[in-house]
């Protein structure tokens, strides 16, 4: 199955300073936000905020909404002008990539949690503990039935699509978090008086995510990406050793999360493209979280999950080589994240082409039946940056600037045109 875009992007983009400052000033990095008002209302709101500021009575949330709406409008316009596909909001409506979904659930709460309640060896927690962070937000069920009563992202999508011609809605992508995002990180992810098992909680979380995806689809969205760094942690030697020391059954745990993903994307409409990004961590200043080849999980993920599209990172030695792609079935596709967002260094176009050809050779050989490099390129591959440019609201990779960000996205597009010339002609 050919991927929907030969040049793709993971989703988040560097925020303008005005938006970063506005969000910081509200002290709501992880809080639920809604998109700002329309153009005329936004101008009025900005004027009111300025007047309020001069009188010492500033509605910081309104300032944030206004900055957010303007920033999204500007970045969508920039992508349209540059022919960047797919088009995203840059995740400007969120404080962090998984933001707003869990806060929207009924029977669930996101609250400040001491680091002592998190698993010490878990890759996301290791740098935070090292930096001396006393705690962070985490999500917990508060009843025996977690549900989604009101969409987390519908308002965001409606504002986003209002900035696009209707025939370009198919080129828009939004991201969502995985069902088990908080579950895997916590020593006690739920009260046993509320849920009888991990499976029961994850079933409800998956049902909520599936409902969210279908709601967005019903309002015109056709491309969704599930961001799940947790899956890559099953490749991380330090995390694996920690689990073994604690007697954790890693095979059962991985099976649990694979099932939760499948439950979330079961029986979706055939014209809805849903892929999974298996991220290795994207903290500010290029800090990664997990290392190790996808070899440990590739066979299971490619063959036992219902996803047809996988966004994988191959920008550095910590990701390993392309060998795991030998398990990719002929009816599924991988977006090769070969351009790094973690540093300002620009890759060489010819070297990138050669790497894509190497990946295609591995895919073709693994599929057998006389499959060739050309077959794999046609049916199974696309290219992208390895991750988003700013997974949280603050900053991106080392030395990364907005100009360099656009240059890297342009490089991805040039790479795609070298390998699949004219693939996007019907999208211009």
């Amino acid at each position: 199955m050919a991927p929907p875009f030969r040049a793709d992007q993971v989703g988040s983009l560097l925020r303008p300073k005005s938006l970063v400052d506005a969000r910081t000033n509200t002290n709501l990095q992880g809080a639920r936000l809604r998109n700002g008002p329309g153009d005329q209302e936004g101008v009025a709101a900005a004027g009111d905020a300025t007047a309020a500021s001069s009188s010492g009575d500033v509605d910081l949330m309104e300032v944030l909404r206004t900055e957010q709406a303007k920033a999204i409008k500007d970045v969508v316009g920039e992508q349209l002008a540059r022919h960047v596909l797919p088009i995203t909001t840059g995740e400007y409506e969120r404080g962090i990539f998984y933001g707003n979904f869990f806060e929207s659930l009924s029977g669930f709460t996101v609250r400040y949690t001491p680091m002592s309640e998190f698993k010490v060896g878990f890759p996301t927690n290791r740098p935070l503990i090292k930096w001396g962070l006393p705690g962070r937000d985490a999500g917990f069920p508060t009843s025996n039935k977690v549900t989604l009563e009101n969409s987390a992202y519908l308002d965001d999508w409606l504002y986003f699509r209002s900035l696009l011609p209707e025939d370009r809605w198919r080129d828009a992508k939004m991201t969502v978090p995985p069902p088990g995002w908080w579950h895997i990180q916590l020593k006690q992810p739920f009260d046993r008086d509320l849920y009888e098992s991990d499976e029961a909680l994850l079933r409800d979380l998956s049902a909520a995510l599936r409902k969210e995806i279908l709601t967005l689809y019903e309002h015109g969205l056709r491309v969704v990406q599930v961001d799940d760094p947790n899956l890559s942690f099953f490749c991380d030697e330090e995390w694996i050793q920690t689990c073994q020391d604690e007697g954790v059954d890693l095979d059962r745990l991985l099976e649990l999360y694979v099932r939760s993903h499948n439950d979330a994307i079961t029986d979706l409409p055939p014209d809805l493209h849903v892929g999974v990004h298996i991220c290795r961590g994207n903290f500010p200043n290029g800090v990664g979280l997990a290392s190790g080849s996808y070899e440990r999980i590739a066979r299971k993920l490619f063959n036992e999950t219902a996803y047809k599209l996988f966004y994988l990172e191959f920008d550095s030695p910590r990701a390993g080589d392309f060998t795991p792609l030998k398990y990719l079935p002929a009816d599924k596709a991988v977006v090769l994240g070969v351009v790094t967002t973690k540093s300002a260094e620009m890759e060489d176009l010819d070297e990138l082409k050669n790497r894509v050809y190497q990946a295609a050779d591995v895919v073709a050989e693994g599929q057998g039946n006389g499959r060739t490099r050309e077959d794999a390129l046609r049916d199974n591959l696309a290219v992208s940056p390895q991750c988003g440019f700013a997974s949280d609201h603050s900053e991106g990779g080392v030395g990364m600037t907005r100009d360099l960000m656009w240059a890297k996205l342009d490089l991805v597009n040039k790479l795609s045109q070298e390998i699949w010339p004219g693939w996007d002609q019907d999208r211009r």
Side-chain angles (χ1 to χ4, degrees):
M1 182 203 75
F5 308 98
R6 295 297 187 175
D8 212 314
Q9 62 166 317
V10 171
S12 67
L13 299 169
L14 289 176
R15 277 83 164 166
K17 186 176 185 302
S18 58
L19 178 57
V20 173
D21 290 345
R23 190 177 295 279
T24 300
N25 288 340
T26 64
N27 197 29
L28 290 172
Q29 289 93 333
R32 177 176 177 77
L33 295 175
R34 283 309 190 196
N35 267 313
D39 290 346
Q40 295 305 313
E41 293 175 15
V43 171
D48 292 343
T50 302
S53 177
S54 64
S55 66
D57 182 21
V58 180
D59 184 344
L60 294 177
M61 182 60 78
E62 188 60 29
V63 172
L64 175 56
R65 290 193 184 101
T66 301
E67 289 292 343
Q68 182 174 284
K70 180 180 183 302
I72 291 172
K73 182 179 180 181
D74 289 348
V75 83
V76 168
E78 185 79 4
Q79 290 169 91
L80 288 169
R82 290 177 173 272
H83 304 294
V84 172
L85 291 171
I87 307 161
T88 78
T89 62
E91 297 179 0
Y92 288 179
E93 70 277 8
R94 310 178 196 181
I96 197 164
F97 76 92
Y98 55 80
N100 301 357
F101 176 71
F102 295 100
E103 294 89 338
S104 300
L105 299 176
S106 298
F108 200 86
T109 188
V110 176
R111 60 171 171 80
Y112 177 83
T113 304
M115 291 306 298
S116 59
E117 295 187 27
F118 289 87
K119 294 175 181 174
V120 176
F122 192 71
T124 301
N125 300 326
R126 290 195 304 245
L128 302 179
I129 293 171
K130 181 179 178 180
W131 297 336
L133 197 73
R136 55 188 287 245
D137 283 350
F140 301 86
T142 57
S143 78
N144 61 1
K145 188 64 178 177
V146 175
T147 60
L148 180 73
E149 302 302 323
N150 298 298
S151 170
Y153 299 125
L154 179 57
D155 288 351
D156 301 330
W157 164 238
L158 293 178
Y159 178 66
F160 180 14
R161 81 175 196 184
S162 76
L163 305 174
L164 299 169
E166 187 170 349
D167 64 350
R168 300 301 305 275
W169 292 0
R170 64 175 182 151
D171 295 333
K173 176 166 77 172
M174 292 192 70
T175 63
V176 296
W181 172 249
W182 292 118
H183 179 274
I184 193 174
Q185 301 187 42
L186 295 158
K187 293 177 180 177
Q188 297 293 333
F190 60 93
D191 187 333
R192 293 285 172 175
D193 290 335
L194 297 177
Y195 275 90
E196 63 182 16
S197 66
D198 301 285
E199 289 84 354
L201 172 59
L202 287 170
R203 274 197 302 271
D204 283 352
L205 289 169
S206 295
L209 181 59
R210 182 175 182 275
K211 183 177 180 180
E212 178 68 35
I213 292 171
L214 283 172
T215 298
L216 296 173
Y217 173 83
E218 289 164 1
H219 289 82
L221 185 66
R222 291 296 179 266
V223 185
V224 174
Q225 175 185 301
V226 181
D227 284 328
D228 195 354
N230 294 340
L231 291 175
S232 75
F233 300 159
F234 287 88
C235 307
D236 184 84
E237 292 294 342
E238 185 175 346
W239 167 240
I240 291 169
Q241 186 60 55
T242 297
C243 289
Q244 291 173 344
D245 292 344
E246 295 177 355
V248 175
D249 185 340
L250 278 170
D251 291 337
R252 175 189 173 276
L253 200 60
L254 181 57
E255 177 64 31
L256 192 67
Y257 296 129
V258 165
R259 191 180 310 133
S260 73
H261 276 273
N262 284 341
D263 288 346
I265 63 171
T266 185
D267 295 328
L268 294 178
D271 62 335
L272 174 60
H273 298 280
V274 181
V276 60
H277 176 222
I278 304 175
C279 175
R280 296 176 180 277
N282 195 32
F283 275 15
N285 293 311
V287 175
L289 299 177
S291 298
S293 170
Y294 289 116
E295 181 84 16
R296 288 181 177 272
I297 61 173
R299 187 195 297 268
K300 188 173 188 68
L301 292 186
F302 290 157
N303 292 281
E304 296 184 27
T305 69
Y307 290 108
K308 295 291 187 180
L309 185 63
F310 300 85
Y311 297 82
L312 303 182
E313 301 189 359
F314 290 106
D315 67 318
S316 69
R318 72 180 182 134
D321 60 21
F322 294 124
T323 301
L325 298 181
K326 66 186 178 184
Y327 300 116
L328 184 70
D331 64 342
K332 297 192 176 185
V334 165
V335 179
L336 302 169
V338 290
V339 173
T340 190
T341 65
K342 292 189 175 299
S343 75
E345 181 180 355
M346 290 295 294
E347 291 83 354
D348 179 79
L349 181 60
D350 288 335
E351 290 181 5
L352 290 175
K353 281 175 59 179
N354 288 334
R355 295 198 69 210
V356 175
Y357 293 148
Q358 291 169 18
D361 290 341
V362 173
V363 170
E365 183 177 355
Q367 292 172 352
N369 298 317
R371 297 274 290 175
T372 65
R373 172 190 289 184
E374 289 70 26
D375 293 330
L377 289 172
R378 182 191 64 235
D379 299 335
N380 306 117
L381 294 176
V383 292
S384 74
Q386 123 278 343
C387 196
F389 285 87
S391 296
D392 80 354
H393 86 287
S394 55
E395 54 191 324
V398 177
M400 189 61 64
T401 65
R402 288 174 67 81
D403 286 343
L404 284 169
M405 174 185 75
W406 293 121
K408 283 184 174 273
L409 288 170
D410 287 345
L411 177 61
V412 170
N413 193 36
K414 289 177 183 175
L415 175 61
S416 74
Q417 294 297 339
E418 289 275 334
I419 300 173
W420 302 279
W423 70 268
D424 60 345
Q425 283 305 304
D426 67 335
R427 295 179 180 271
R428 289 178 178 264

